Amino acid sequence: MLKSAEKTGTNEYTVEISISAEAFEKAVNKVYNKQKNSINVPGFRKGKAPRAIIEKIYGEGVFYDDAINEVFPDEYYKAVEEAGIDPVDDPRDFDLKSVGKEGVELSCKVTVRPEINVSGYKGIEAEKPAAEVTDEDIEKDLRSKQEANAREISVEGRNAENGDIATIDFEGFTDGVAFEGGKGEDYDLELGSGSFIPGFEEQIVGHAVGESFDINVKFPEEYAEELAGKDAVFKITVKGLKQKQLPELDDEFVKDVSEFDTLDELKEDIRKTLTEQKESSSKRAFENSVYDALSELIEGEIPECMYDRAVDNMISEFRYNIEAQGMPYEKYIQAIGMTEESIRAMYRPRAEKDVKIELALSKIAQLEGIEASEEDIAAEYDKMAERYGVKAEDVKAAISEDRIVSEIKARKASDMVLENAVSKKPEENSKTEE
């Protein structure tokens, strides 16, 4: 039961909670029944010793700590709901004032959702890149189709050139010692592709098939930790040279690689597809610019824990995606030369922006009187049920209606902000800056 909730700092309340004797007794008895099978009492088989005997031997408060942990969550959520506050982190700084057969009296500090102000969210100006498709864009797409269908033919009578595919054996050394992952045989490397570290491919150009030689390179500073910034020597043998022979760009080629009969038809389809892609990309870029601007419009002190939790969620998703591919997370971040601290630092700016946007949209929904109707809520549950292949009742059991309502309001607020935003061409902004 809530005794009091006093604001004791920016975004902080001190909440006093009273747990009744009856509720605490139920929690103590529940803990006793969970633990009795693991408690040794002389003269009793495991699990058969009465609670009173255990308490007499080990002390009246033997189950109190676990009982408080058992009963506190429900009592806490009831208290903060009654107090009308919205926690954004776990309670902290507990002060256990009394505990016993009469119940429990305690207090804790609670970090709450901040009160923020937001203005100027209607008519935000943001850049919107042009979605125009040029002839060069179409030619580039056609070129990629040619390369995807190219034949590889052997090269004889000349040395390696950029664009050739060199078949090589190689082995790398640092300080005269071969390093792990630095060896390959019969490896096909397209010279000039930038597949290997800077300086590697360039030093193969000019050599002939059958030549063996050394090349000297320096690993980039952002490379894997054990090699970053180090000088290395690679022993190279060129075993073969090939070059791509592109097919003729004509109607026969078009029939082979597409559903169309003529080159003009294929070009028109490419233009349509690229236009859709560019329009979609332009829309996303515009929306992101609007959100960036929106995140700067809020005024208020935001608790650090909100940023920390957002980072935690991002890292959890990142970890899940890495481990879903069969690689241990810790091994992966070591391989890419990062640490847990650098990962957190990487995600921090995005977390700050996301938190600010979420707070701004929530405030805008409040200011604009945006609501979620019963039909909106039912439709959202149905949509989620269809997405996950479960019944709507199962989704309702797993996700609270309050969360659904918040998401619907935020989405409506976002739509309103975007509808009122003003798009500007990038060059207009650059002229203004000049």
Side-chain angles (χ1 to χ4, degrees), residues 118 124 288-299 302 307 349 352-358 360:
V118 59
I124 292 175
N288 286 335
S289 294
V290 172
Y291 291 139
D292 285 342
L294 178 62
S295 71
E296 299 299 322
L297 295 178
I298 71 170
E299 298 176 353
I302 301 172
Y307 297 140
E352 290 185 4
K353 187 179 95 169
D354 287 355
V355 168
K356 289 177 180 179
I357 291 171
E358 187 268 327

Side-chain angles (χ1 to χ4, degrees), residues 174-175 179 197 217-232 334-338:
T174 56
D175 299 323
F179 56 86
I197 61 174
V217 295
K218 186 181 185 68
F219 282 100
E221 294 295 337
E222 64 274 12
Y223 208 74
E225 185 176 356
E226 61 273 14
L227 295 173
K230 287 190 174 183
D231 293 320
Q334 183 181 15
I336 61 174
M338 299 192 76

Side-chain angles (χ1 to χ4, degrees), residues 137-335:
D137 293 330
I138 296 173
E139 293 302 321
K140 183 177 178 181
D141 190 280
L142 286 170
R143 175 77 178 188
S144 69
K145 286 179 170 55
Q146 283 181 289
E147 291 183 350
N149 291 273
R151 293 191 308 123
E152 293 181 357
I153 59 174
S154 295
V155 173
E156 296 178 358
R158 68 168 175 79
N159 295 344
E161 298 175 358
N162 264 332
D164 288 346
I165 299 169
T167 302
I168 61 173
D169 290 346
F170 63 89
E171 186 171 14
F173 300 81
T174 56
D175 299 323
V177 179
F179 56 86
E180 185 177 355
K183 184 176 182 178
E185 295 182 354
D186 294 326
Y187 188 94
D188 284 344
L189 175 63
E190 183 176 346
L191 303 181
S193 65
S195 303
F196 279 28
I197 61 174
F200 189 101
E201 295 166 26
E202 294 89 331
Q203 295 182 61
I204 296 176
V205 171
H207 289 280
V209 173
E211 278 192 64
S212 295
F213 51 94
D214 292 349
I215 63 174
N216 297 284
V217 295
K218 186 181 185 68
F219 282 100
E221 294 295 337
E222 64 274 12
Y223 208 74
E225 185 176 356
E226 61 273 14
L227 295 173
K230 287 190 174 183
D231 293 320
V233 177
F234 281 86
K235 295 187 177 298
I236 309 290
T237 297
V238 179
K239 301 176 75 175
L241 288 176
K242 294 175 287 188
Q243 66 178 176
K244 291 181 179 179
Q245 186 178 65
L246 301 181
E248 192 72 26
L249 193 58
D250 55 19
D251 291 348
E252 290 304 313
F253 170 73
V254 171
K255 292 175 185 177
D256 288 338
V257 301
S258 74
E259 59 190 286
F260 302 103
D261 293 324
T262 68
L263 183 58
D264 287 341
E265 289 175 334
L266 178 58
K267 286 183 177 180
E268 187 59 34
D269 182 71
I270 292 172
R271 185 179 295 277
K272 178 182 176 183
T273 300
L274 292 180
T275 298
E276 291 173 352
Q277 291 174 352
K278 285 201 171 188
E279 287 176 347
S280 178
S281 177
S282 175
K283 180 183 177 184
R284 285 196 304 273
F286 172 66
E287 291 177 352
N288 286 335
S289 294
V290 172
Y291 291 139
D292 285 342
L294 178 62
S295 71
E296 299 299 322
L297 295 178
I298 71 170
E299 298 176 353
E301 188 174 329
I302 301 172
E304 281 293 312
C305 63
M306 295 189 74
Y307 297 140
D308 291 337
R309 288 210 161 194
V311 171
D312 290 342
N313 292 336
M314 291 174 185
I315 291 177
S316 293
E317 183 178 358
F318 178 54
R319 175 189 287 268
Y320 175 82
N321 290 334
I322 293 301
E323 294 184 344
Q325 299 175 46
M327 176 175 285
Y329 170 73
E330 287 76 12
K331 185 175 181 180
Y332 176 81
I333 64 173
Q334 183 181 15

Side-chain angles (χ1 to χ4, degrees), residues 2 4-17 72 76 79-80 83 85-94 107-113 303 305:
L2 175 69
S4 67
E6 179 185 358
K7 188 171 184 180
T8 50
T10 305
N11 305 320
E12 178 189 274
Y13 277 76
T14 296
V15 177
E16 292 192 5
I17 300 172
F72 177 76
Y76 168 73
V80 296
I85 58 179
D86 187 4
V88 293
D89 200 7
D90 295 329
R92 67 186 194 285
D93 297 343
F94 289 89
S107 69
C108 59
K109 293 190 185 303
V110 181
T111 304
V112 298
R113 191 178 184 86
C305 63

